[in-house]
Amino acid sequence: MLKDLPRYECLLEAAKQFPDLDPSATEVYLHLLRTSDDAFGALTAHLHRAGLSQGRFTVLMLLIDKGTGCARASTPAELADRSGVTRATMTGLIDTLERDGLVSREPDLADRRMMSVKLTAKGEALIHDYLPGHFRRTAALVEPLTENERKTLVKLLAKIMGQAAVLSAQPADAVPAGIT
Amino acid sequence: MLKDLPRYECLLEAAKQFPDLDPSATEVYLHLLRTSDDAFGALTAHLHRAGLSQGRFTVLMLLIDKGTGCARASTPAELADRSGVTRATMTGLIDTLERDGLVSREPDLADRRMMSVKLTAKGEALIHDYLPGHFRRTAALVEPLTENERKTLVKLLAKIMGQAAVLSAQPADAVPAGIT
DNA sequence: CTTTTTTAGTTAGGCTCCTAATCATAAGCA
DNA sequence: TGCTTATGATTAGGAGCCTAACTAAAAAAG
Protein backbone atom coordinates (compact mmCIF):
# COMPACT_ATOMS: atom_id res chain seq x y z
CA MET A 1 0.00 0.00 0.00
CA LEU A 2 1.22 3.46 -0.88
CA LYS A 3 1.97 5.40 2.26
CA ASP A 4 1.62 8.80 0.68
CA LEU A 5 -1.19 9.17 -1.78
CA PRO A 6 -0.17 10.59 -5.14
CA ARG A 7 -1.23 14.15 -5.81
CA TYR A 8 -4.07 14.57 -8.24
CA GLU A 9 -1.87 16.28 -10.83
CA CYS A 10 0.30 13.21 -10.68
CA LEU A 11 -2.67 11.04 -11.59
CA LEU A 12 -3.56 13.38 -14.44
CA GLU A 13 -0.02 13.14 -15.72
CA ALA A 14 -0.04 9.35 -15.51
CA ALA A 15 -3.39 9.28 -17.32
CA LYS A 16 -1.67 10.73 -20.37
CA GLN A 17 0.38 7.59 -20.67
CA PHE A 18 -2.40 5.21 -19.61
CA PRO A 19 -5.70 6.10 -21.29
CA ASP A 20 -7.49 3.55 -19.11
CA LEU A 21 -6.60 5.41 -15.94
CA ASP A 22 -9.61 7.28 -14.57
CA PRO A 23 -8.04 9.88 -12.26
CA SER A 24 -11.04 10.46 -10.01
CA ALA A 25 -11.74 6.73 -9.73
CA THR A 26 -8.13 6.01 -8.86
CA GLU A 27 -8.19 8.81 -6.31
CA VAL A 28 -11.28 7.32 -4.67
CA TYR A 29 -9.76 3.86 -4.67
CA LEU A 30 -6.49 4.99 -3.13
CA HIS A 31 -8.25 7.14 -0.54
CA LEU A 32 -10.49 4.25 0.37
CA LEU A 33 -7.59 1.88 0.93
CA ARG A 34 -5.46 4.46 2.70
CA THR A 35 -8.29 5.54 5.02
CA SER A 36 -9.27 2.01 5.84
CA ASP A 37 -5.67 1.13 6.54
CA ASP A 38 -5.16 4.18 8.75
CA ALA A 39 -8.39 3.67 10.67
CA PHE A 40 -7.66 0.01 11.04
CA GLY A 41 -4.09 0.74 12.10
CA ALA A 42 -5.21 3.24 14.73
CA LEU A 43 -7.37 0.59 16.39
CA THR A 44 -4.99 -2.29 15.75
CA ALA A 45 -2.25 -0.58 17.72
CA HIS A 46 -4.43 -0.91 20.79
CA LEU A 47 -5.32 -4.49 19.95
CA HIS A 48 -1.65 -5.37 19.89
CA ARG A 49 -1.14 -3.79 23.27
CA ALA A 50 -3.83 -6.12 24.58
CA GLY A 51 -2.09 -9.10 22.99
CA LEU A 52 -4.70 -9.37 20.26
CA SER A 53 -4.73 -9.16 16.49
CA GLN A 54 -7.61 -8.46 14.16
CA GLY A 55 -8.13 -12.17 13.60
CA ARG A 56 -7.99 -13.01 17.28
CA PHE A 57 -10.30 -10.11 18.12
CA THR A 58 -12.85 -11.20 15.53
CA VAL A 59 -12.88 -14.72 16.92
CA LEU A 60 -13.42 -13.50 20.47
CA MET A 61 -16.22 -11.20 19.31
CA LEU A 62 -17.95 -14.08 17.54
CA LEU A 63 -17.70 -16.19 20.68
CA ILE A 64 -19.40 -13.65 22.93
CA ASP A 65 -22.86 -14.96 23.58
CA LYS A 66 -24.47 -12.44 25.87
CA GLY A 67 -26.20 -9.19 25.07
CA THR A 68 -24.96 -8.80 21.55
CA GLY A 69 -28.25 -9.38 19.83
CA CYS A 70 -26.53 -11.69 17.36
CA ALA A 71 -26.15 -15.41 17.28
CA ARG A 72 -22.75 -16.54 18.44
CA ALA A 73 -20.57 -19.03 16.66
CA SER A 74 -19.14 -22.15 18.22
CA THR A 75 -17.49 -24.45 15.71
CA PRO A 76 -14.23 -23.73 13.89
CA ALA A 77 -16.02 -23.97 10.55
CA GLU A 78 -18.60 -21.36 11.49
CA LEU A 79 -15.97 -19.10 13.01
CA ALA A 80 -13.95 -19.36 9.80
CA ASP A 81 -16.92 -18.62 7.56
CA ARG A 82 -18.02 -15.62 9.59
CA SER A 83 -14.50 -14.30 10.07
CA GLY A 84 -13.74 -14.48 6.39
CA VAL A 85 -10.69 -16.72 6.78
CA THR A 86 -10.09 -20.30 5.75
CA ARG A 87 -10.59 -23.19 8.11
CA ALA A 88 -6.88 -23.82 8.11
CA THR A 89 -6.29 -20.28 9.29
CA MET A 90 -8.96 -20.69 11.94
CA THR A 91 -7.23 -23.80 13.22
CA GLY A 92 -4.08 -21.73 13.68
CA LEU A 93 -5.92 -18.87 15.36
CA ILE A 94 -7.68 -21.19 17.79
CA ASP A 95 -4.36 -22.93 18.45
CA THR A 96 -2.74 -19.74 19.69
CA LEU A 97 -5.87 -18.49 21.48
CA GLU A 98 -6.06 -21.81 23.29
CA ARG A 99 -2.34 -21.70 24.05
CA ASP A 100 -2.91 -18.26 25.62
CA GLY A 101 -5.85 -19.55 27.62
CA LEU A 102 -8.45 -17.31 26.01
CA VAL A 103 -10.59 -20.05 24.45
CA SER A 104 -11.07 -23.76 25.01
CA ARG A 105 -11.67 -26.51 22.51
CA GLU A 106 -13.80 -29.57 23.31
CA PRO A 107 -14.98 -32.39 21.08
CA ASP A 108 -18.64 -32.28 20.14
CA LEU A 109 -20.41 -35.32 21.55
CA ALA A 110 -23.16 -35.43 18.96
CA ASP A 111 -20.98 -35.18 15.84
CA ARG A 112 -17.52 -36.51 16.45
CA ARG A 113 -16.06 -34.63 13.50
CA MET A 114 -16.78 -31.31 15.15
CA MET A 115 -15.16 -29.33 17.90
CA SER A 116 -16.87 -26.85 20.18
CA VAL A 117 -15.00 -23.63 20.91
CA LYS A 118 -15.81 -21.53 23.95
CA LEU A 119 -14.46 -18.41 25.61
CA THR A 120 -12.68 -19.13 28.87
CA ALA A 121 -13.26 -16.87 31.86
CA LYS A 122 -9.94 -15.23 31.02
CA GLY A 123 -10.96 -14.65 27.43
CA GLU A 124 -14.31 -13.25 28.43
CA ALA A 125 -12.72 -10.89 30.94
CA LEU A 126 -10.19 -9.71 28.37
CA ILE A 127 -12.70 -8.96 25.64
CA HIS A 128 -15.13 -7.27 28.01
CA ASP A 129 -12.36 -5.12 29.43
CA TYR A 130 -11.18 -4.26 25.95
CA LEU A 131 -14.44 -3.42 24.24
CA PRO A 132 -15.41 -0.11 25.89
CA GLY A 133 -12.14 1.55 24.83
CA HIS A 134 -12.45 0.00 21.41
CA PHE A 135 -15.92 1.45 20.95
CA ARG A 136 -14.78 4.85 22.19
CA ARG A 137 -11.95 4.86 19.67
CA THR A 138 -14.30 3.79 16.89
CA ALA A 139 -16.64 6.63 17.80
CA ALA A 140 -13.70 9.05 17.86
CA LEU A 141 -12.67 8.01 14.35
CA VAL A 142 -16.04 8.94 12.93
CA GLU A 143 -16.77 11.75 15.38
CA PRO A 144 -16.48 14.72 12.97
CA LEU A 145 -19.10 13.27 10.61
CA THR A 146 -22.72 14.27 11.11
CA GLU A 147 -25.38 11.58 11.12
CA ASN A 148 -26.29 12.61 7.58
CA GLU A 149 -22.70 12.38 6.43
CA ARG A 150 -22.45 8.94 7.99
CA LYS A 151 -25.50 7.79 6.08
CA THR A 152 -24.09 9.24 2.88
CA LEU A 153 -20.75 7.57 3.44
CA VAL A 154 -22.29 4.18 4.10
CA LYS A 155 -24.44 4.54 1.00
CA LEU A 156 -21.49 5.42 -1.23
CA LEU A 157 -19.39 2.63 0.23
CA ALA A 158 -22.23 0.20 -0.38
CA LYS A 159 -22.18 1.11 -4.07
CA ILE A 160 -18.51 0.29 -4.30
CA MET A 161 -19.06 -2.91 -2.34
CA GLY A 162 -21.66 -3.89 -4.91
CA GLN A 163 -19.26 -3.24 -7.77
CA ALA A 164 -16.58 -5.26 -6.04
CA ALA A 165 -18.99 -8.18 -5.82
CA VAL A 166 -19.73 -7.86 -9.54
CA LEU A 167 -16.05 -7.66 -10.35
CA SER A 168 -15.21 -10.67 -8.21
CA ALA A 169 -18.03 -12.70 -9.72
CA GLN A 170 -16.56 -12.42 -13.23
CA PRO A 171 -12.95 -13.28 -12.63
CA ALA A 172 -12.16 -13.65 -16.30
CA ASP A 173 -10.33 -10.93 -18.19
CA ALA A 174 -13.47 -9.00 -18.87
CA VAL A 175 -14.03 -5.35 -17.98
CA PRO A 176 -13.22 -4.07 -21.43
CA ALA A 177 -16.00 -1.57 -22.04
CA GLY A 178 -17.94 -1.16 -18.84
CA ILE A 179 -19.58 -3.65 -16.59
CA THR A 180 -22.94 -2.10 -15.90
CA MET B 1 -12.49 -9.07 9.55
CA LEU B 2 -16.16 -9.83 9.80
CA LYS B 3 -17.37 -11.30 6.54
CA ASP B 4 -20.99 -10.38 7.03
CA LEU B 5 -21.61 -7.00 8.56
CA PRO B 6 -23.92 -7.02 11.57
CA ARG B 7 -27.38 -5.67 11.02
CA TYR B 8 -28.06 -2.26 12.44
CA GLU B 9 -30.57 -3.61 14.98
CA CYS B 10 -27.84 -5.87 16.18
CA LEU B 11 -25.62 -2.87 16.85
CA LEU B 12 -28.46 -1.14 18.67
CA GLU B 13 -28.93 -4.22 20.80
CA ALA B 14 -25.23 -4.42 21.62
CA ALA B 15 -25.21 -0.73 22.48
CA LYS B 16 -27.55 -1.49 25.36
CA GLN B 17 -24.82 -3.53 26.97
CA PHE B 18 -21.97 -1.23 25.93
CA PRO B 19 -22.86 2.41 26.45
CA ASP B 20 -19.68 3.45 24.64
CA LEU B 21 -20.81 1.82 21.41
CA ASP B 22 -21.94 4.42 18.90
CA PRO B 23 -24.05 2.42 16.43
CA SER B 24 -23.73 4.73 13.46
CA ALA B 25 -19.99 5.16 14.02
CA THR B 26 -19.48 1.42 14.26
CA GLU B 27 -21.56 0.93 11.15
CA VAL B 28 -19.39 3.40 9.27
CA TYR B 29 -16.22 1.78 10.54
CA LEU B 30 -17.29 -1.73 9.61
CA HIS B 31 -18.54 -0.64 6.19
CA LEU B 32 -15.27 1.14 5.56
CA LEU B 33 -13.18 -1.91 6.36
CA ARG B 34 -15.48 -4.31 4.55
CA THR B 35 -15.63 -2.15 1.41
CA SER B 36 -11.91 -1.58 1.35
CA ASP B 37 -11.29 -5.27 1.80
CA ASP B 38 -13.76 -6.21 -0.95
CA ALA B 39 -12.43 -3.64 -3.39
CA PHE B 40 -8.89 -4.61 -2.59
CA GLY B 41 -9.75 -8.28 -2.91
CA ALA B 42 -11.37 -7.79 -6.30
CA LEU B 43 -8.17 -6.26 -7.67
CA THR B 44 -5.83 -8.53 -5.74
CA ALA B 45 -7.30 -11.62 -7.36
CA HIS B 46 -5.98 -10.34 -10.67
CA LEU B 47 -2.65 -9.43 -9.15
CA HIS B 48 -2.22 -13.00 -7.98
CA ARG B 49 -2.97 -14.29 -11.46
CA ALA B 50 -0.09 -12.14 -12.69
CA GLY B 51 2.19 -13.56 -9.99
CA LEU B 52 2.07 -10.33 -8.01
CA SER B 53 0.93 -9.32 -4.57
CA GLN B 54 0.01 -5.91 -3.24
CA GLY B 55 3.49 -5.43 -1.86
CA ARG B 56 5.21 -6.55 -5.04
CA PHE B 57 2.88 -4.41 -7.14
CA THR B 58 3.57 -1.33 -5.05
CA VAL B 59 7.30 -1.83 -5.39
CA LEU B 60 7.07 -2.16 -9.16
CA MET B 61 4.88 0.95 -9.36
CA LEU B 62 7.41 2.93 -7.35
CA LEU B 63 10.19 1.78 -9.66
CA ILE B 64 8.50 2.96 -12.84
CA ASP B 65 10.31 6.06 -13.92
CA LYS B 66 8.64 7.12 -17.11
CA GLY B 67 5.52 9.16 -17.67
CA THR B 68 4.13 8.88 -14.20
CA GLY B 69 4.63 12.48 -13.22
CA CYS B 70 6.05 11.36 -9.91
CA ALA B 71 9.56 10.85 -8.69
CA ARG B 72 10.55 7.22 -8.67
CA ALA B 73 12.24 5.45 -5.80
CA SER B 74 15.46 3.51 -6.08
CA THR B 75 16.86 2.45 -2.72
CA PRO B 76 15.35 -0.18 -0.43
CA ALA B 77 14.97 2.40 2.33
CA GLU B 78 13.01 4.78 0.13
CA LEU B 79 10.90 1.96 -1.28
CA ALA B 80 10.13 0.83 2.25
CA ASP B 81 9.19 4.31 3.44
CA ARG B 82 6.95 5.00 0.48
CA SER B 83 5.39 1.54 0.50
CA GLY B 84 4.58 1.74 4.18
CA VAL B 85 6.45 -1.42 5.13
CA THR B 86 9.58 -1.91 7.21
CA ARG B 87 12.98 -2.17 5.65
CA ALA B 88 13.21 -5.77 6.69
CA THR B 89 10.02 -6.47 4.79
CA MET B 90 11.37 -4.60 1.79
CA THR B 91 14.49 -6.74 1.84
CA GLY B 92 12.27 -9.80 1.60
CA LEU B 93 10.11 -8.33 -1.16
CA ILE B 94 13.15 -7.37 -3.21
CA ASP B 95 14.61 -10.83 -2.59
CA THR B 96 11.67 -12.56 -4.22
CA LEU B 97 11.28 -9.94 -6.96
CA GLU B 98 14.93 -10.38 -7.80
CA ARG B 99 14.61 -14.16 -7.69
CA ASP B 100 11.76 -13.86 -10.19
CA GLY B 101 13.82 -11.59 -12.41
CA LEU B 102 11.56 -8.57 -12.13
CA VAL B 103 14.05 -6.23 -10.44
CA SER B 104 17.81 -6.09 -10.09
CA ARG B 105 19.90 -4.99 -7.15
CA GLU B 106 23.26 -3.27 -7.56
CA PRO B 107 25.54 -1.69 -4.99
CA ASP B 108 25.59 2.09 -4.96
CA LEU B 109 29.04 3.31 -5.89
CA ALA B 110 28.81 6.63 -4.04
CA ASP B 111 27.51 5.30 -0.71
CA ARG B 112 28.58 1.76 -0.11
CA ARG B 113 25.86 1.16 2.47
CA MET B 114 23.20 1.59 -0.15
CA MET B 115 21.81 -0.57 -2.87
CA SER B 116 20.22 0.61 -6.09
CA VAL B 117 17.10 -1.23 -7.20
CA LYS B 118 15.93 -1.14 -10.80
CA LEU B 119 13.20 -2.70 -12.87
CA THR B 120 14.48 -5.31 -15.30
CA ALA B 121 13.14 -5.41 -18.83
CA LYS B 122 10.98 -8.33 -17.72
CA GLY B 123 9.65 -6.39 -14.76
CA GLU B 124 8.92 -3.36 -16.85
CA ALA B 125 7.10 -5.44 -19.44
CA LEU B 126 5.04 -7.16 -16.79
CA ILE B 127 3.91 -4.01 -15.03
CA HIS B 128 3.15 -2.19 -18.27
CA ASP B 129 1.12 -5.13 -19.51
CA TYR B 130 -0.70 -5.34 -16.23
CA LEU B 131 -1.57 -1.71 -15.62
CA PRO B 132 -4.23 -1.05 -18.30
CA GLY B 133 -6.46 -3.84 -16.97
CA HIS B 134 -5.79 -2.73 -13.44
CA PHE B 135 -6.90 0.80 -14.22
CA ARG B 136 -10.00 -0.46 -16.01
CA ARG B 137 -10.94 -2.54 -12.98
CA THR B 138 -10.34 0.41 -10.67
CA ALA B 139 -12.59 2.57 -12.83
CA ALA B 140 -15.24 -0.17 -12.83
CA LEU B 141 -15.22 -0.29 -9.03
CA VAL B 142 -16.08 3.38 -8.78
CA GLU B 143 -18.12 3.55 -11.98
CA PRO B 144 -21.59 4.04 -10.44
CA LEU B 145 -20.47 7.13 -8.50
CA THR B 146 -20.90 10.53 -10.12
CA GLU B 147 -18.03 12.97 -10.05
CA ASN B 148 -19.76 14.83 -7.24
CA GLU B 149 -20.24 11.67 -5.23
CA ARG B 150 -16.57 10.86 -5.72
CA LYS B 151 -15.60 14.26 -4.38
CA THR B 152 -17.94 13.80 -1.43
CA LEU B 153 -16.57 10.36 -0.69
CA VAL B 154 -12.96 11.53 -0.79
CA LYS B 155 -13.84 14.43 1.48
CA LEU B 156 -15.55 12.22 4.05
CA LEU B 157 -12.75 9.69 3.93
CA ALA B 158 -10.23 12.48 4.45
CA LYS B 159 -12.01 13.47 7.66
CA ILE B 160 -11.70 9.95 9.00
CA MET B 161 -8.09 9.82 7.89
CA GLY B 162 -7.47 12.96 9.91
CA GLN B 163 -9.07 11.44 12.98
CA ALA B 164 -7.00 8.29 12.55
CA ALA B 165 -3.88 10.43 12.54
CA VAL B 166 -4.99 12.15 15.74
CA LEU B 167 -5.79 8.83 17.35
CA SER B 168 -2.47 7.32 16.33
CA ALA B 169 -0.56 10.33 17.61
CA GLN B 170 -1.84 9.85 21.15
CA PRO B 171 -1.29 6.17 21.70
CA ALA B 172 -1.94 6.37 25.44
CA ASP B 173 -5.23 5.26 26.90
CA ALA B 174 -6.87 8.56 26.28
CA VAL B 175 -10.09 9.05 24.33
CA PRO B 176 -12.28 9.29 27.39
CA ALA B 177 -14.49 12.23 26.60
CA GLY B 178 -13.93 13.23 23.00
CA ILE B 179 -10.77 14.13 21.17
CA THR B 180 -11.73 17.23 19.24
C1' DC C 1 -25.05 -53.18 4.33
C1' DT C 2 -21.29 -51.68 1.74
C1' DT C 3 -19.29 -48.16 -1.11
C1' DT C 4 -18.91 -43.49 -2.40
C1' DT C 5 -19.23 -38.75 -1.50
C1' DT C 6 -19.34 -34.93 1.52
C1' DT C 7 -17.96 -32.49 5.58
C1' DA C 8 -14.98 -31.00 9.84
C1' DG C 9 -10.67 -30.35 11.22
C1' DT C 10 -5.84 -30.56 10.84
C1' DT C 11 -1.08 -30.63 8.87
C1' DA C 12 2.57 -29.05 5.69
C1' DG C 13 4.70 -25.58 3.17
C1' DG C 14 4.84 -20.88 1.29
C1' DC C 15 4.29 -15.66 1.30
C1' DT C 16 3.95 -11.24 3.55
C1' DC C 17 4.38 -8.76 7.28
C1' DC C 18 6.37 -7.64 11.86
C1' DT C 19 10.23 -6.70 15.77
C1' DA C 20 14.81 -7.13 17.39
C1' DA C 21 19.50 -7.85 16.67
C1' DT C 22 23.62 -7.51 13.70
C1' DC C 23 27.09 -5.58 10.49
C1' DA C 24 29.19 -2.20 7.58
C1' DT C 25 29.58 2.42 6.26
C1' DA C 26 28.99 7.41 6.78
C1' DA C 27 28.67 11.56 9.46
C1' DG C 28 29.25 14.43 13.56
C1' DC C 29 32.12 15.90 17.18
C1' DA C 30 35.97 16.48 20.86
C1' DT D 1 42.34 12.27 13.81
C1' DG D 2 39.75 9.00 16.55
C1' DC D 3 35.42 7.97 18.91
C1' DT D 4 30.56 8.01 18.99
C1' DT D 5 26.32 8.17 16.80
C1' DA D 6 23.26 7.61 12.91
C1' DT D 7 21.97 5.21 8.78
C1' DG D 8 21.35 1.38 5.10
C1' DA D 9 20.71 -3.27 4.59
C1' DT D 10 20.33 -7.76 6.14
C1' DT D 11 19.27 -11.85 9.10
C1' DA D 12 16.55 -14.54 12.56
C1' DG D 13 12.39 -15.73 14.46
C1' DG D 14 7.44 -15.18 14.91
C1' DA D 15 2.32 -14.42 13.54
C1' DG D 16 -1.36 -14.50 10.28
C1' DC D 17 -2.86 -15.62 6.01
C1' DC D 18 -3.11 -18.76 1.98
C1' DT D 19 -3.56 -23.45 -0.94
C1' DA D 20 -3.25 -28.30 -1.20
C1' DA D 21 -3.20 -32.65 0.78
C1' DC D 22 -4.65 -35.63 4.43
C1' DT D 23 -7.58 -38.10 8.31
C1' DA D 24 -11.75 -39.26 10.42
C1' DA D 25 -16.54 -39.31 10.64
C1' DA D 26 -21.16 -38.64 8.78
C1' DA D 27 -24.37 -38.85 4.99
C1' DA D 28 -25.85 -40.52 0.63
C1' DA D 29 -26.17 -44.00 -2.95
C1' DG D 30 -26.23 -48.45 -4.66
Side-chain angles (χ1 to χ4, degrees), chain A residues 1-8 10-11 13-15 17-18 20-22 24-29 31-44 46 49 54-55 58 61-62 64 66-70 80-85 127-128 131-147 149-161 163-165 167-168 170-177 179-180, chain B residues 1-11 13-15 17-18 20-22 24-29 31-44 46 49 54-55 58 61-62 64 66-70 81-85 127-128 131-145 147 149-161 163-165 167-168 170-180:
Chain A
M1 257 295 300
L2 284 178
K3 186 82 182 172
D4 299 302
L5 300 176
R7 300 181 314 283
Y8 201 74
C10 184
L11 291 175
E13 184 66 28
Q17 193 185 354
F18 297 99
D20 292 306
L21 193 162
D22 176 340
S24 71
T26 299
E27 194 191 24
V28 165
Y29 176 71
H31 266 76
L32 174 61
L33 262 59
R34 178 79 270 140
T35 303
S36 173
D37 205 59
D38 286 355
F40 178 72
L43 298 197
T44 299
H46 290 265
R49 258 170 242 139
Q54 185 63 28
T58 302
M61 289 293 286
L62 287 172
I64 294 178
K66 290 179 303 193
T68 62
C70 282
D81 290 345
R82 291 177 57 182
S83 296
V85 300
I127 192 69
H128 273 91
L131 280 179
H134 177 78
F135 289 138
R136 279 197 300 277
R137 286 185 286 275
T138 303
L141 271 178
V142 185
E143 188 263 347
L145 272 60
T146 66
E147 284 296 325
E149 286 178 322
R150 296 177 190 198
K151 282 195 180 66
T152 301
L153 180 50
V154 167
K155 197 186 64 187
L156 296 175
L157 290 174
K159 285 192 186 182
I160 295 178
M161 224 185 296
Q163 288 298 103
L167 225 59
S168 296
Q170 43 153 22
D173 282 348
V175 199
I179 64 173
T180 50
Chain B
M1 257 296 299
L2 283 178
K3 186 81 181 178
D4 299 302
L5 299 176
R7 300 181 314 283
Y8 201 74
E9 316 92 70
C10 184
L11 292 175
E13 183 66 28
Q17 193 184 355
F18 297 100
D20 293 307
L21 193 161
D22 176 340
S24 72
T26 299
E27 193 190 24
V28 165
Y29 176 71
H31 266 77
L32 174 60
L33 262 59
R34 177 81 270 139
T35 303
S36 174
D37 203 60
D38 286 356
F40 179 73
L43 297 197
T44 299
H46 290 266
R49 257 170 243 140
Q54 185 64 27
T58 302
M61 289 294 286
L62 287 171
I64 294 177
K66 291 179 304 195
T68 61
C70 282
D81 290 345
R82 291 177 57 182
S83 296
V85 300
I127 191 70
H128 274 90
L131 279 178
H134 178 79
F135 289 138
R136 280 197 301 277
R137 286 184 286 274
T138 303
L141 271 179
V142 186
E143 188 262 347
L145 271 60
E147 284 296 326
E149 287 178 322
R150 297 177 190 198
K151 282 195 181 66
T152 301
L153 180 49
V154 167
K155 197 186 64 188
L156 296 175
L157 290 175
K159 284 192 188 182
I160 295 178
M161 225 184 297
Q163 288 298 103
L167 224 59
S168 296
Q170 44 153 24
D173 281 349
V175 199
I179 65 175
T180 50

Side-chain angles (χ1 to χ4, degrees), chain B residues 35-115:
Chain B
T35 303
S36 174
D37 203 60
D38 286 356
F40 179 73
L43 297 197
T44 299
H46 290 266
L47 278 174
H48 288 167
R49 257 170 243 140
L52 295 176
S53 68
Q54 185 64 27
R56 287 159 70 90
F57 176 70
T58 302
V59 171
L60 297 184
M61 289 294 286
L62 287 171
L63 288 173
I64 294 177
D65 54 353
K66 291 179 304 195
T68 61
C70 282
R72 78 175 197 84
S74 60
T75 69
E78 190 179 0
L79 288 168
D81 290 345
R82 291 177 57 182
S83 296
V85 300
T86 64
R87 294 178 182 189
T89 297
M90 188 51 61
T91 295
L93 278 172
I94 296 171
D95 281 349
T96 66
L97 285 168
E98 190 174 31
R99 180 200 63 194
D100 296 346
L102 300 177
V103 309
S104 65
R105 211 176 340 205
E106 297 165 20
D108 183 302
L109 301 178
D111 187 333
R112 289 196 297 170
R113 290 172 302 183
M114 291 199 269
M115 301 293 283

Side-chain angles (χ1 to χ4, degrees), chain A residues 117-140:
Chain A
V117 182
K118 286 195 183 69
L119 278 182
T120 62
K122 182 180 174 187
E124 194 157 336
L126 188 144
I127 192 69
H128 273 91
D129 282 353
Y130 183 76
L131 280 179
H134 177 78
F135 289 138
R136 279 197 300 277
R137 286 185 286 275
T138 303

